[in-house]
C-alpha cells in the first residue's frame, strides 16, 4: 500500500485521508473477535492444570502403589475399559489440538547493485526524458518526492533507468531473478542448508505473475525436489508477506519435520506508469526495488539456531465492503496505459482495517491490566452510556519493537499518532522508507534487519509486524526473539552503513 493521491493543496489538514481516531470508534464486535480467537486457540490453558495435577499425583506413586493398582485393574473389567478409553481419548485430543512451534531460522534482504541507485534528481530527469508526462504532472511528482520521506539511495531496475526506458517481459524476469536469487543465495549461505532440504516454497509478488510462475523459476534455478509443496501468491498487495507467513505456519502444522522458504518481493519493470493520471503517478514516486527470503522450520532441532518463534498471526480482510475493495485498483487510464489507482478513501479504509486487526490482536498480547481498563471503559460507554472515551491500550507494554509497513510518510505519521508510539519505535520504518523506499511486502524485513543491525533485539523481545494491502487487508505477525542478536555477526543490507543512521528526514526535502 502507498500514500493516497494528493490533490492541490498536496496535504490537507483534515480529511477522509487521515486515519480515524480510534478512541472515538472502537466497536464491541471487534473485541469479541479477539476474545473468540483467544478462546478457540486456548485449549492448552484448560488442559495444562489437569496435566500438572496428573503429573504431580503420578510423581508420588511408588512401585508398590503401581503394582497394587495393576492388581486391582486385573479383576475389574469396567475400570480397565474406562481407563483405556480415557487414555486413548487424551492422547487423541493431544495429537489433534497440539500446535507445532514455528521458528524463523533466518532471513535475508536483497541489496541491489550500486548502478541501480536512483536519486530524486535522477528520477525527475528520467521522468522528463520519457516525454510522456505533462509539465504539471512533472511538478506534481516533484512535490510527492519532496514530501515522500525517501532519500537519494533507493533503487530502480535497469529497464526503468535506461534512456529511453525499455520495459518488457524479458527485463521483468531479469529483475525478478536478481531479487529472488540474490536474497535466496544469501539466506542459503547464512543457514548452510541444502536447497533439496526445503519442503515448502511460497513466493508472493502482487503485480508480476508470469508463466511459468515465479515459484517455478525458483524450483528450476535451485533444482528443488520434485515433491515440494509450492505456492505463488499474486494480487495481494503490500501485506502479502504476512499472508505467506500465515500460510507457511498452517502448512508446517500438517507437515512435520519440514523447512519452509518464503520469498516476498514486488516487480517494478512492467508496472511503471507512463500516463498522466495523478492517482496512478504516486506509485512511481514511492515504489522501489527490493525483496526478502525467509526460512521457517518446525523441526525441534532448529530451535537452538533460530532467531525467532512465531507467536501469533492475525489477518483482517475488508473485501466484502465495495469501498474497501476498490480503494487500490490496477486498471487502465483513459489512454489505455495501465497503472495502480489509489482512492481518496484509502486512509480511512486503512484505518478501519487497522482498528479491526489490533482490536482482535489485543486480547492475545496485551497484559491483563490493559485489557481490564480497555474492557471496563468500553462497557461503560456501550452499556451504561457513560460519556467517556474508550481506553486505548498501550501496545508498548506488549511489544518491544514495531515493524510497520513503510508504505509512505503519511501512513507512518498517522500510525505513530494513533498508536502513541515514540520516534524510537518508528525509526526502523522511517529509515527503511528513507534508505530503500517502499519495497512493498518485503519492507517489514528491511525494518527487522535495521533493528538487528542496531543491536536492539534481545532474547525474549517481542516484535510486531503489521502491513496493509489491496483488497483491502490488514495483517499482523508477532515474533519472540529466541536469542540476543549480535550485530557484528549479522550480514544485512544495513551493516556497512548502519552507523550513519538514524538521519534527520525533513518534512519537505527540496532538490
Amino acid at each position: 500500500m502507498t500514500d493516497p493521491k494528493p490533490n492541490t493543496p498536496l496535504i490537507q489538514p483534515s480529511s477522509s485521508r487521515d486515519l480515524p481516531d480510534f478512541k472515538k470508534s472502537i466497536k464491541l464486535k471487534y473485541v469479541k473477535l479477539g476474545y473468540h480467537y483467544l478462546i478457540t486457540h486456548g485449549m492448552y490453558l484448560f488442559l495444562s492444570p489437569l496435566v500438572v495435577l496428573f503429573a504431580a499425583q503420578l510423581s508420588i506413586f511408588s512401585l508398590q502403589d503401581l503394582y497394587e493398582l495393576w492388581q486391582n485393574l486385573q479383576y475389574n473389567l469396567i475400570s480397565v475399559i474406562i481407563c483405556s478409553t480415557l487414555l486413548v481419548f487424551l492422547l487423541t485430543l493431544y495429537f489433534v489440538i497440539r500446535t507445532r512451534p514455528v521458528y524463523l531460522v533466518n532471513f535475508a534482504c536483497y541489496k541491489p547493485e550500486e548502478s541501480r541507485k536512483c536519486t530524486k534528481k535522477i528520477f525527475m530527469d528520467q521522468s522528463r526524458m520519457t516525454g510522456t508526462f505533462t509539465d504539471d504532472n512533472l511538478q506534481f511528482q516533484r512535490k510527492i518526492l519532496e514530501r515522500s520521506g525517501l532519500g537519494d539511495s533507493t533503487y530502480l531496475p535497469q529497464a526503468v533507468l535506461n534512456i529511453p526506458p525499455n520495459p518488457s517481459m524479458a527485463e521483468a524476469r531479469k529483475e525478478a531473478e536478481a531479487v529472488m536469487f540474490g536474497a535466496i543465495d544469501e539466506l542459503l549461505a547464512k543457514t548452510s542448508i541444502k536447497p533439496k532440504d526445503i519442503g515448502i516454497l511460497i513466493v508472493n509478488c502482487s503485480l508480476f505473475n508470469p508463466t511459468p510462475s515465479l515459484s517455478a523459476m525458483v524450483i528450476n534455478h535451485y533444482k528443488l525436489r520434485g515433491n515440494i509443496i509450492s505456492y505463488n501468491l499474486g494480487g495481494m498487495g503490500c501485506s502479502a508477506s504476512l499472508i505467506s507467513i500465515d500460510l507457511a505456519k498452517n502448512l508446517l502444522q500438517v507437515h512435520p519435520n519440514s523447512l519452509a522458504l518464503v520469498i516476498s518481493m514486488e516487480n517494478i519493470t512492467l508496472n511503471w506508469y507512463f500516463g498522466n493520471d495523478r492517482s496512478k503517478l504516486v506509485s512511481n514516486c514511492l515504489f522501489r526495488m527490493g525483496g526478502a527470503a525467509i526460512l521457517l522450520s518446525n523441526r525441534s532441532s532448529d530451535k537452538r539456531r533460530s532467531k525467532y518463534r512465531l507467536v501469533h498471526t492475525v489477518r483482517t480482510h475488508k473485501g466484502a465492503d465495495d469501498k474497501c475493495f476498490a480503494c487500490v485498483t490496477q486498471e487502465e487510464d483513459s489512454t489505455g496505459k495501465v497503472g495502480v489507482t489509489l482512492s481518496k478513501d484509502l486512509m480511512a479504509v486503512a484505518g478501519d482495517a487497522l482498528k479491526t486487526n489490533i482490536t482482535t490482536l489485543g486480547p492475545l498480547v496485551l497484559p491483563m491490566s490493559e485489557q481490564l481498563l480497555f474492557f471496563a471503559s468500553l462497557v461503560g460507554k456501550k452499556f451504561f452510556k457513560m460519556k467517556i472515551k474508550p481506553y486505548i491500550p498501550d501496545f508498548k507494554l506488549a511489544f518491544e519493537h514495531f515493524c510497520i509497513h513503510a508504505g509512505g510518510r503519511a501512513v507512518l505519521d498517522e500510525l505513530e499518532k494513533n498508536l502513541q508510539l515514540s520516534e524510537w519505535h518508528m525509526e526502523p520504518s522511517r529509515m527503511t522508507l528513507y534508505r530503500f523506499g517502499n519495497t512493498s511486502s518485503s519492507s517489514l524485513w528491511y525494518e527487522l534487519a535495521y533493528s538487528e543491525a542496531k543491536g536492539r533485539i534481545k532474547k525474549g523481545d517481542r516484535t510486531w509486524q503489521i502491513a496493509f494491502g489491496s483488497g483491502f487487508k490488514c495483517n499482523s505477525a508477532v515474533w519472540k526473539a529466541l536469542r540476543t542478536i549480535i550485530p557484528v555477526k549479522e550480514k544485512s543490507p544495513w551493516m556497512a552503513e548502519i552507523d550513519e543512521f538514524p538521519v534527520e528526514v525533513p518534512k519537505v526535502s527540496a532538490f
Side-chain angles (χ1 to χ4, degrees):
M1 191 194 78
T2 61
D3 283 1
K5 174 189 74 174
N7 290 325
T8 305
L10 187 62
I11 297 178
Q12 299 179 357
S14 178
S15 71
S16 62
R17 297 170 193 176
D18 295 334
L19 290 181
D21 186 348
F22 295 166
K23 293 182 178 181
K24 298 178 181 178
S25 55
I26 294 295
K27 296 182 180 178
L28 185 61
K29 65 178 181 180
Y30 298 149
V31 182
K32 291 165 64 178
L33 276 175
Y35 283 101
H36 173 73
Y37 193 96
L38 175 65
I39 291 170
T40 55
H41 291 76
M43 183 63 73
Y44 289 116
L45 296 176
F46 299 100
L47 289 181
S48 295
L50 295 177
V51 173
V52 171
L53 288 174
F54 179 77
Q57 185 65 35
L58 192 62
S59 65
I60 63 174
F61 272 41
S62 64
L63 291 175
Q64 183 62 32
D65 293 331
L66 293 174
Y67 178 75
E68 291 178 359
L69 179 62
W70 171 249
Q71 288 291 104
N72 291 331
L73 288 176
Q74 285 188 84
Y75 304 105
N76 192 334
L77 181 61
I78 295 178
S79 297
V80 172
I81 293 174
I82 292 175
C83 290
S84 300
T85 303
L86 181 61
L87 181 61
V88 170
F89 172 76
L90 291 175
L91 287 174
T92 302
L93 187 63
Y94 169 75
F95 283 108
V96 168
I97 69 170
R98 70 174 180 142
T99 57
R100 292 184 174 91
V102 174
Y103 304 112
L104 193 162
V105 181
N106 216 323
F107 67 97
C109 298
Y110 175 67
K111 187 175 184 179
E113 302 171 357
E114 288 296 301
S115 61
R116 303 289 185 269
K117 273 192 177 179
C118 179
T119 65
K120 291 191 281 288
K121 183 179 184 304
I122 290 175
F123 177 93
M124 288 306 305
D125 290 343
Q126 292 289 114
S127 297
R128 188 175 297 107
M129 285 186 285
T130 62
T132 63
F133 302 115
T134 65
D135 289 341
D136 285 346
N137 278 334
L138 287 172
Q139 282 302 112
F140 173 76
Q141 291 180 73
R142 175 183 289 273
K143 289 181 179 180
I144 293 291
L145 282 175
E146 290 176 342
R147 293 160 173 80
S148 65
L150 272 68
D152 280 331
S153 298
T154 59
Y155 303 92
L156 284 175
Q158 189 61 49
V160 175
L161 292 175
N162 284 337
I163 302 175
N166 62 327
S168 65
M169 178 63 74
E171 289 295 325
R173 284 184 176 275
K174 286 181 182 178
E175 180 192 350
E177 290 173 353
V179 173
M180 292 192 303
F181 301 162
I184 295 172
D185 287 345
E186 183 177 326
L187 181 63
L188 294 178
K190 283 182 175 182
T191 57
S192 300
I193 69 161
K194 298 176 181 178
K196 288 193 180 295
D197 291 337
I198 298 169
I200 298 169
L201 172 66
I202 303 171
V203 181
N204 67 261
C205 182
S206 290
L207 297 177
F208 181 56
N209 294 284
T211 299
S213 67
L214 296 174
S215 59
M217 290 166 62
V218 174
I219 292 170
N220 176 261
H221 183 80
Y222 291 97
K223 309 304 178 188
L224 302 183
R225 63 200 202 196
N227 65 342
I228 191 167
I229 302 166
S230 66
Y231 292 86
N232 197 93
L233 307 183
M236 290 190 161
C238 298
S239 68
S241 184
L242 298 186
I243 295 174
S244 298
I245 294 295
D246 184 64
L247 174 58
K249 179 192 74 172
N250 292 331
L251 291 170
L252 288 170
Q253 297 307 310
V254 295
H255 296 280
N257 200 37
S258 296
L259 292 173
L261 174 62
V262 173
I263 303 166
S264 294
M265 58 169 290
E266 194 51 83
N267 192 283
I268 305 294
T269 299
L270 283 181
N271 296 290
W272 199 255
Y273 177 63
F274 291 97
N276 283 283
D277 184 339
R278 291 192 175 186
S279 66
K280 298 177 176 64
L281 282 173
V282 178
S283 298
N284 284 10
C285 299
L286 297 178
F287 277 100
R288 294 296 183 265
M289 192 177 180
I294 305 99
L295 183 66
L296 303 175
S297 173
N298 61 9
R299 306 189 305 195
S300 56
S301 59
D302 285 327
K303 180 180 180 179
R304 178 174 294 183
R305 67 172 182 150
S306 296
K307 286 184 171 181
Y308 306 93
R309 178 174 62 84
L310 182 59
V311 182
H312 299 293
T313 54
V314 174
R315 294 171 55 179
T316 299
H317 205 305
K318 293 287 186 176
D321 183 282
D322 290 342
K323 183 173 71 173
C324 298
F325 173 77
C327 70
V328 181
T329 309
Q330 186 181 25
E331 60 186 4
E332 295 174 332
D333 64 12
S334 59
T335 64
K337 295 183 174 67
V338 176
V340 177
T341 300
L342 304 180
S343 163
K344 60 183 177 61
D345 298 317
L346 182 57
M347 290 293 278
V349 167
D352 187 53
L354 172 65
K355 181 176 60 181
T356 306
N357 190 271
I358 65 174
T359 312
T360 306
L361 180 68
L364 304 174
V365 298
L366 288 168
M368 189 56 66
S369 58
E370 289 295 294
Q371 294 194 45
L372 289 174
L373 287 172
F374 171 75
F375 194 72
S377 67
L378 192 65
V379 169
K381 180 179 177 65
K382 295 290 183 181
F383 294 104
F384 298 102
K385 307 302 179 184
M386 298 172 64
K387 295 181 178 180
I388 58 174
K389 293 181 179 180
Y391 176 75
I392 300 302
D394 185 358
F395 279 90
K396 297 188 292 294
L397 297 175
F399 307 108
E400 284 74 32
H401 310 284
F402 296 79
C403 295
I404 300 169
H405 168 54
R409 184 171 194 156
V411 175
L412 298 181
D413 287 346
E414 289 295 323
L415 284 172
E416 179 180 359
K417 179 178 68 176
N418 274 278
L419 295 178
Q420 301 173 3
L421 302 179
S422 67
E423 291 183 5
W424 187 88
H425 291 113
M426 297 298 297
E427 188 179 309
S429 299
R430 293 194 185 281
M431 294 304 102
T432 294
L433 181 64
Y434 177 84
R435 177 62 180 84
F436 294 98
N438 181 348
T439 61
S440 189
S441 60
S442 66
S443 69
L444 298 173
W445 303 102
Y446 288 89
E447 294 165 18
L448 185 56
Y450 180 90
S451 295
E452 291 185 350
K454 278 293 184 182
R456 296 181 176 182
I457 306 295
K458 310 298 181 185
K459 184 177 180 180
D461 281 2
R462 298 152 298 177
T463 300
W464 180 17
Q465 291 180 320
I466 186 164
F468 308 92
S470 57
F472 190 87
K473 298 176 285 293
C474 178
N475 301 315
S476 290
V478 179
W479 304 90
K480 185 174 183 179
L482 297 177
R483 55 185 170 90
T484 298
I485 307 299
I486 303 173
V488 294
K489 295 182 179 180
E490 293 299 310
K491 183 181 179 182
S492 80
W494 295 99
M495 290 311 301
E497 52 195 275
I498 191 61
D499 292 337
E500 302 172 15
F501 293 92
V503 299
E504 181 69 26
V505 184
K507 291 187 179 298
V508 179
S509 179
F511 62 98

